[in-house]
Amino acid sequence: IDLRKSLLQFHDKYYSANQMTLAVAGREDLDTLQSWVVSMFSQVPNKDVPPPEAEWAGKIQPFPSDAPKVAYNAVPVSDERSMQISWVLPYKTLENKKQIKLGKPDAAVASILGHEGKGSLLQYLKTEKGWVTSLGAAQLDDSADLEIFGIVVDLTEEGLKFKEEVIESIFSYLSDVSKKGIPDYVFEEVSGLSEINWRYKDNIEPGNLVTLLAATMQEYEDPALYLSGPSLIKAPNKALAKELLDSLKPKEALVTYIAKDFKPKASEQEKWYKTLYYTDAVADWKLSQLGGQLKIPDPNPFIPSNFDLAVKPSEDIRSMPKAPEMILDSPRWRVHYKPDNRYGQPKAVAFFQFSQPDELFGSATNPKTSARARLLKMSLLDALTEYTYDASVAGLQYSCDFTTRGVRVSFGGYNDRLPAFAESVAKGIATHLPDDQAKLDRYKDLIKRELKSFENAQPYQHAVQFAQLCTLLPGYLPPEVIPEIDKVTLEELRAWTSNLWKDAFSECLIQGNLREEEGKAMVKAVDTAFKFSAVPEEKRAAPKLVKLPVVKEGWGSVLRNDEPNPSNPNSAALVIFQNANREDLQQQMAMEVISALIDQPFYGSLRTKQQLGYIVFAGAKQNEGVRNLNFIVQSSVADADYLTERVFEFIDGFTAVIEKLPEEELKGYVKGLIERKLETPKKLNAESLGHWDAIVPQRYDYNRDKKEAEVLASVSKELILKVWKDTVLPGGSDRRCFTSQVFSQNFKGKTAKKANPLPKGSEAISDPKTFISNNKPFTPLKGTPPSALSGGNWLEA
């Protein structure tokens, strides 16, 4: 086939206005928007052609009738073990397709098959048998004349050995559900939740909105469904759900297994992606006798019913949001609270940061700490799933994350059931102790496979991670955690967990549709669950940012590494310029202006003109009040030394660009940055996360964006040139430059080696730990907490 010729023929035939949909969103009035559309698109020809699928939809079978029934065994790039069972289900008629799109019978079926609570298929296969780690069911795809429904399973090592038994268990459960039928309350729940979630859906960003609309306009004839069609279940159809369930038969299933274990037998290769695989004849699966262990899920107790607003919206969404108030400041707790008087949604969030002693987390965190934390997190999630799954379906979420500051626990969703949900989950976290060796072994297998995916990351990502070994405390790589995972015993993990909640300091934000007394009650419930003693401020865990040394010449401090994936032909270079003058906000804002100036020219030079690769980036990043100017390039046509040379070559030539920059053009860049900083949040989550970002590091700089916008307005070209020359150019008085290079082990051209001499003035880093010990970190940047409202220590009362 002549691919280009075929594409041109397709374009010539189907490039027609009657086959296109267009969505436009803007602040302008409808007449103006319409005039723009007419002027820009009226020249598109209307050939009045039928859609392309008219030639084949319903006429050509998805598979030849004589296609052999085989199971595929494929070898993945990453270390995974999974199984996919899918069914290709042609639509009977156009009307049948419309009914399915409106009624979404797959939602009811998937809610049963993919349930994760007590008596579910997943709990049986995971907890009772130890064969799987996850299981999900959904409509995987659809086209003009068919849909594909599937069940996707992640297998354990043991599960791969018993994969036929796993499938037989799935088919047995399908058979049981089909015989019993789907209860009415399941249809009521999926339909009711679709209504609730649609009614209280967050506003969609304009770019995402028009993308959604242009697609749904192709799917639905009724304009009333352009927005709601994909979300709402308009008419739950029990007959269609039963029909779908009855179609999920063993003899119609397509089965694919994925595992690295198949490599020795994989004698065939897929044409396009070169995936290795082999096929097996489909087994004669028999239905297992599951007895009474499995059941259809009970009614969901977490579906919200009270949507009353605690406070009527009064805050103008176009103005910058007001800061939360501190309602408690004690040796153990700081509690911040803000009711939602802005968005009018029956939702709330509650964030808790437990700062444990530095010897547990913080700068003392090491691969062993990471191994214990990962195992405990997985054990916690596993133990709580039976309770939390229904809540997640009903719009309640929680997370428990182990950070370099300590443990962070978050709750969010519809406020009706949120306080009770948070109380139960907090108790579950506080009292949990891992107690099952078989489960621990399963967690170890899962985590190790996840950690091994480090090798398959892109070289530019490796360059960033290698750089962090020298710029952040604590610093270590995922492969360093793998041997520690194997060493952790059940007894050791239990002892570490028992000590975890002994001492802490908690900072908390309650925001949303909750009254102050409800927020206080939630904090009391969490405090009762954990019962920790206070940790003095000087002993609390916190990450640290390394202050890079001044290196006035060459490539600065240089860290060289081989690409961990020996088959990856790409090399990468990351060049960092750190402006350590964090007390000078004008200088920090000048770094942001430089970032805006340099972004597109850098991409245009190295990507478009020099054709070095698709991954080319320049921009500023902020940490601890310090801005870094980062340059990243990845390429398969040049080695790391060549890429680094091109970065510094670009930098040398950009001084003239800044010097010649017209004042009006500079004002345009500054204006754009100011507008972005003063853009107001449109969602509760966005606003609350902004407040939380100020609370966690204890800066409490809620008006940071406004202050930075004011300073940006005073940034001049003279200041930009000064910062550029002092921070970036060779000879600069405060040039803190760091280069991380990753060299491909599979580069096809003439390649540089790590041992090649560095440019004059560069300082090679032989050991990241020694580099960090020779360079002091910045003192954590903290602010003054707001005064607590009167009311005393109500938590201890």
Side-chain angles (χ1 to χ4, degrees):
I1 183 174
D2 185 331
L3 185 58
R4 184 176 185 277
K5 181 180 178 181
S6 297
L7 286 172
L8 290 173
Q9 289 174 343
F10 184 89
H11 176 274
D12 183 61
K13 184 174 182 178
Y14 292 111
Y15 186 77
S16 175
N18 77 304
Q19 291 302 316
M20 299 178 184
T21 50
L22 172 67
V24 179
R27 294 177 179 174
E28 293 74 15
D29 60 73
L30 290 177
D31 289 341
T32 300
L33 293 175
Q34 182 173 329
S35 68
W36 290 352
V37 169
V38 171
S39 66
M40 294 178 185
F41 296 97
S42 60
Q43 298 304 310
V44 176
N46 185 358
K47 302 173 184 177
D48 198 26
V49 293
E53 60 266 25
E55 295 187 8
W56 51 263
K59 301 172 184 177
I60 301 175
Q61 293 301 310
F63 303 101
S65 57
D66 58 348
K69 299 291 289 183
V70 295
Y72 285 84
N73 303 276
V75 181
V77 174
S78 58
D79 190 6
E80 68 168 289
R81 287 187 297 271
S82 64
M83 162 201 302
Q84 178 174 304
I85 312 168
S86 54
W87 291 265
V88 177
L89 307 170
Y91 297 121
K92 294 177 180 178
T93 62
L94 185 59
E95 183 60 30
N96 174 248
K97 178 180 178 180
K98 289 179 181 178
Q99 290 177 349
I100 288 173
K101 283 194 169 294
L102 287 174
K104 301 176 180 59
D106 57 283
V109 174
S111 72
I112 294 174
L113 302 182
H115 200 270
E116 298 182 14
K118 188 174 182 179
S120 67
L121 179 61
L122 175 64
Q123 285 296 313
Y124 170 71
L125 292 173
K126 181 171 75 171
T127 306
E128 298 295 325
K129 295 295 186 180
W131 289 340
V132 312
T133 56
S134 67
L135 183 150
Q139 184 194 71
L140 302 180
D141 201 356
D142 77 315
S143 66
D145 61 345
L146 60 83
E147 64 174 330
I148 300 175
F149 187 88
I151 297 174
V152 180
V153 182
D154 193 59
L155 299 167
T156 63
E157 241 180 321
E158 193 72 6
L160 188 63
K161 298 175 186 175
F162 290 92
K163 62 183 190 293
E164 301 297 336
E165 286 80 356
V166 173
I167 284 193
E168 287 178 357
S169 298
I170 292 171
F171 287 143
S172 299
Y173 185 61
L174 277 169
S175 176
D176 287 348
V177 174
S178 184
K179 289 175 184 175
K180 293 175 182 176
I182 301 176
D184 288 347
Y185 64 78
V186 172
F187 294 101
E188 292 167 4
E189 286 183 357
V190 295
S191 177
L193 282 170
S194 81
E195 291 276 357
I196 292 169
N197 292 333
W198 168 250
R199 182 180 175 188
Y200 299 108
K201 188 180 180 71
D202 285 329
N203 291 328
I204 306 174
E205 297 297 329
N208 295 331
L209 174 63
V210 293
T211 302
L212 169 68
L213 284 172
T216 55
M217 288 165 71
Q218 294 275 352
E219 295 291 325
Y220 297 93
E221 293 179 1
D222 184 357
L225 297 175
Y226 289 167
L227 272 172
S228 64
S231 303
L232 277 178
I233 300 177
K234 284 286 187 180
N237 192 313
K238 300 175 187 177
L240 286 176
K242 177 171 173 48
E243 192 174 289
L244 170 59
L245 199 54
D246 291 344
S247 299
L248 308 182
K249 301 297 185 185
K251 64 178 182 179
E252 305 296 339
L254 304 174
V255 180
T256 302
Y257 303 107
I258 298 175
K260 280 188 171 292
D261 306 59
F262 299 144
K263 191 171 183 178
K265 292 178 65 177
S267 57
E268 299 181 70
Q269 190 176 65
E270 188 272 334
K271 180 178 180 179
W272 302 108
Y273 294 99
K274 311 302 180 188
T275 300
L276 295 173
Y277 73 96
Y278 69 95
T279 60
D280 283 329
V282 171
D284 183 18
W285 293 302
K286 296 179 176 62
L287 299 185
S288 307
Q289 296 300 316
L290 301 178
Q293 299 176 80
L294 303 185
K295 63 176 184 176
I296 291 173
D298 293 327
N300 191 332
F302 292 100
I303 295 177
S305 57
N306 182 357
F307 304 102
D308 293 342
L309 297 182
V311 180
K312 290 183 179 180
S314 59
E315 203 174 298
D316 188 350
I317 201 168
R318 294 168 296 181
S319 64
M320 297 299 284
K322 296 178 181 177
E325 295 178 322
M326 187 185 291
I327 59 175
L328 177 66
D329 187 1
S330 76
R332 297 194 307 118
W333 281 89
R334 275 187 189 149
V335 179
H336 309 262
Y337 166 75
K338 183 183 178 184
D340 174 24
N341 55 6
R342 187 179 178 93
Y343 305 101
Q345 295 268 45
K347 299 178 181 180
V349 296
F351 303 138
F352 298 84
Q353 175 67 61
F354 298 94
S355 295
Q356 272 95 349
D358 198 60
E359 62 264 21
L360 268 178
F361 294 102
S363 56
T365 302
N366 54 37
K368 179 176 280 296
T369 311
S370 177
R372 291 166 169 170
R374 287 170 186 268
L375 288 166
L376 177 57
K377 180 177 179 178
M378 191 160 286
S379 180
L380 270 170
L381 293 175
D382 205 12
L384 292 173
T385 293
E386 189 174 297
Y387 171 76
T388 61
Y389 179 76
D390 276 337
S392 69
V393 172
L396 293 173
Q397 305 88 34
Y398 87 99
S399 64
C400 180
D401 299 299
F402 295 81
T403 75
T404 48
R405 294 184 185 277
V407 183
R408 188 172 302 169
V409 181
S410 303
F411 304 96
Y414 296 107
N415 59 274
D416 184 24
R417 307 276 196 268
L418 186 63
F421 173 69
E423 181 177 2
S424 295
V425 171
K427 286 179 181 176
I429 294 173
T431 59
H432 177 73
L433 282 176
D435 61 359
D436 189 303
Q437 184 62 50
K439 289 182 180 179
L440 183 63
D441 292 340
R442 189 169 76 234
Y443 306 149
K444 288 183 176 185
D445 170 63
L446 202 61
I447 293 169
K448 286 193 294 183
R449 283 193 282 144
E450 180 185 305
L451 291 168
K452 287 175 183 176
S453 65
F454 167 81
E455 182 181 292
N456 297 315
Q458 290 293 324
Y460 81 92
Q461 295 170 315
H462 289 143
V464 171
Q465 289 176 294
F466 286 133
Q468 289 173 347
L469 295 176
C470 297
T471 57
L472 293 175
L473 282 170
Y476 52 86
L477 296 173
E480 297 177 69
V481 181
I482 295 175
E484 298 298 334
I485 292 285
D486 286 325
K487 295 176 186 175
V488 176
T489 65
L490 184 60
E491 292 72 25
E492 173 192 340
L493 185 59
R494 285 173 61 86
W496 186 77
T497 304
S498 297
N499 192 48
L500 192 59
W501 303 108
K502 183 180 177 182
D503 301 304
F505 173 83
S506 183
E507 195 110 24
C508 164
L509 170 65
I510 308 286
Q511 183 167 347
N513 192 43
L514 289 170
R515 294 178 177 83
E516 184 174 331
E517 58 268 25
E518 292 175 305
K520 287 180 176 178
M522 191 182 296
V523 174
K524 284 183 178 179
V526 172
D527 184 56
T528 300
F530 291 104
K531 302 173 184 174
F532 53 83
S533 299
V535 174
E537 185 171 355
E538 67 275 8
K539 293 185 178 181
R540 295 171 197 163
K544 293 181 175 64
L545 176 69
V546 175
K547 190 172 186 177
L548 296 175
V550 173
V551 183
K552 294 187 176 184
E553 302 296 335
W555 295 348
S557 304
V558 183
L559 181 66
R560 287 174 152 175
N561 286 281
D562 284 326
E563 162 54 30
N565 184 349
S567 63
N568 195 318
N570 289 282
S571 295
L574 163 65
V575 180
I576 299 171
F577 295 95
Q578 184 187 79
N579 188 313
N581 300 310
R582 66 180 181 181
E583 292 78 15
D584 189 332
L585 190 55
Q586 268 199 325
Q587 283 210 23
Q588 295 300 318
M589 291 302 98
M591 290 287 284
E592 293 198 11
V593 177
I594 290 170
S595 170
L597 293 174
I598 213 166
D599 178 21
Q600 288 303 313
F602 182 69
Y603 183 88
S605 175
L606 275 73
R607 166 70 189 101
T608 307
K609 293 179 182 178
Q610 300 183 47
Q611 295 283 303
L612 290 178
Y614 289 103
I615 298 174
V616 176
F617 166 82
K621 300 289 183 184
Q622 186 270 140
N623 190 5
E624 283 292 329
V626 175
R627 267 73 177 178
N628 289 345
L629 188 62
N630 297 342
F631 298 84
I632 291 175
V633 193
Q634 177 176 301
S635 177
S636 62
V637 300
D639 60 56
D641 271 355
Y642 185 86
L643 298 177
T644 308
E645 288 167 0
R646 299 290 74 76
V647 171
F648 282 93
E649 179 183 72
F650 173 86
I651 288 168
D652 290 341
F654 200 73
T655 306
V657 176
I658 299 176
E659 290 173 339
K660 296 175 183 177
L661 185 70
E663 288 292 340
E664 286 304 310
E665 190 174 338
L666 174 60
K667 288 180 182 177
Y669 281 104
V670 171
K671 182 183 177 184
L673 288 170
I674 291 173
E675 287 176 350
R676 282 199 290 275
K677 287 187 180 293
L678 295 181
E679 187 173 341
T680 59
K682 304 298 188 293
K683 302 176 185 178
L684 173 64
N685 273 348
E687 183 190 328
S688 58
L689 286 172
H691 295 323
W692 190 235
D693 284 344
I695 290 171
V696 170
Q698 297 186 335
R699 295 188 195 123
Y700 313 108
D701 48 351
Y702 300 115
N703 294 317
R704 179 181 67 251
D705 286 338
K706 184 179 179 181
K707 185 177 180 181
E708 289 179 353
E710 291 170 353
V711 174
L712 267 169
S714 68
V715 172
S716 64
K717 187 160 82 171
E718 289 72 26
L719 176 62
I720 290 170
L721 277 168
K722 180 182 185 307
V723 172
W724 177 258
K725 291 176 181 178
D726 290 348
T727 308
V728 179
L729 290 184
S733 60
D734 198 34
R735 184 178 184 260
R736 301 175 188 274
C737 177
F738 184 96
T739 299
S740 175
Q741 295 180 302
V742 172
F743 290 82
S744 171
Q745 300 182 57
N746 191 31
F747 184 63
K748 304 302 181 184
K750 183 180 178 182
T751 181
K753 302 295 183 185
K754 288 193 301 180
N756 281 4
L758 292 171
K760 184 179 178 181
S762 308
E763 297 181 1
I765 299 172
S766 57
D767 176 44
K769 291 181 180 179
T770 302
F771 179 85
I772 280 187
S773 66
N774 292 335
N775 294 283
K776 292 183 178 180
F778 287 94
T779 302
L781 190 63
K782 294 190 177 183
T784 302
S787 299
L789 299 179
S790 59
N793 192 344
W794 46 264
L795 192 59
E796 306 295 340

